[in-house]
Amino acid sequence: MIEIGGMNVYLFDISLFIYLFAFALYLIFVTTRGEKVGRAAFSLLSVGFVIHFVGMIVRWRESHLLGYGYIPLSNMYESLVFFSWCIVLFYIIMDKKYNQRIMGVIASPLASLFLALPSLVGLKKEIKPLIPALQSNWLAIHVITCFLGYGAFAIAFGISIAYLLQSKREGEGRAKKREAK
């Protein structure tokens, strides 16, 4: 049995590994353009997204069981976990709306990076009581809206980088064709 405060971290770790595996599938999808691989990558990323969400709910529940009872967005660890989830959320929305599965090759490593970052830099993962300055309903409203914006920006950033790389590659291809004539 995992003690209170540990199950959420376990679920986040599972999500991280699923996101990394989805990234590998997205890389295969990008190189082969195999639609089945793209669907598998999207499905896997979606499963990781749900497990990630369940992990956030479990963390919220664990904070209540410890007597603190706050939405898990109050420290750097919880913020990075939520940011990672927001990135995947906006990618899923974009994929459903525009059917641009190729952007998963950008969203999955970004989500993995921000989910792994707390472990890489040694952030504390335990649930602690809120400091008095954060004991307000505005904490949830402020942090949720900010990180939803950050998630949308991260996806827009990834799309912009992909567009620039594609434009550069196409420009080089046109230049080679002109030289060949």
Side-chain angles (χ1 to χ4, degrees), residues 19 52 79-88 111-112 114-115:
Y19 291 162
H52 195 155
S79 295
L80 288 172
V81 166
F82 186 64
F83 179 47
S84 175
W85 184 81
C86 289
I87 290 170
V88 178
S112 300
F114 288 106
L115 198 52

Side-chain angles (χ1 to χ4, degrees), residues 45-162:
L45 192 76
S46 298
V47 168
F49 176 76
V50 170
I51 293 170
H52 195 155
F53 184 67
V54 169
M56 291 188 302
I57 292 171
V58 167
R59 187 165 180 96
W60 194 351
R61 176 78 175 125
E62 289 172 348
S63 78
H64 281 279
L65 292 174
L66 290 170
Y68 307 138
Y70 61 87
I71 189 166
L73 301 169
S74 65
N75 57 39
M76 183 61 85
Y77 171 72
E78 294 167 347
S79 295
L80 288 172
V81 166
F82 186 64
F83 179 47
S84 175
W85 184 81
C86 289
I87 290 170
V88 178
L89 171 69
F90 278 102
Y91 165 69
I92 289 172
I93 291 169
M94 188 190 78
D95 183 87
K96 288 295 185 185
K97 185 169 182 167
Y98 300 108
N99 198 24
Q100 292 295 317
R101 193 139 296 155
I102 198 164
M103 288 299 117
V105 80
I106 294 166
S108 55
L110 279 176
S112 300
L113 172 68
F114 288 106
L115 198 52
L117 197 59
S119 295
L120 296 174
V121 298
L123 292 177
K124 304 262 189 247
K125 298 178 182 178
E126 66 266 358
I127 299 171
K128 293 184 175 180
L130 286 176
I131 60 171
L134 296 178
Q135 295 175 358
S136 167
N137 290 332
W138 287 106
L139 169 72
I141 295 166
H142 171 75
V143 174
I144 289 171
T145 55
C146 285
F147 278 94
L148 286 173
Y150 296 157
F153 178 76
I155 293 299
F157 166 77
I159 292 169
S160 300
I161 296 298

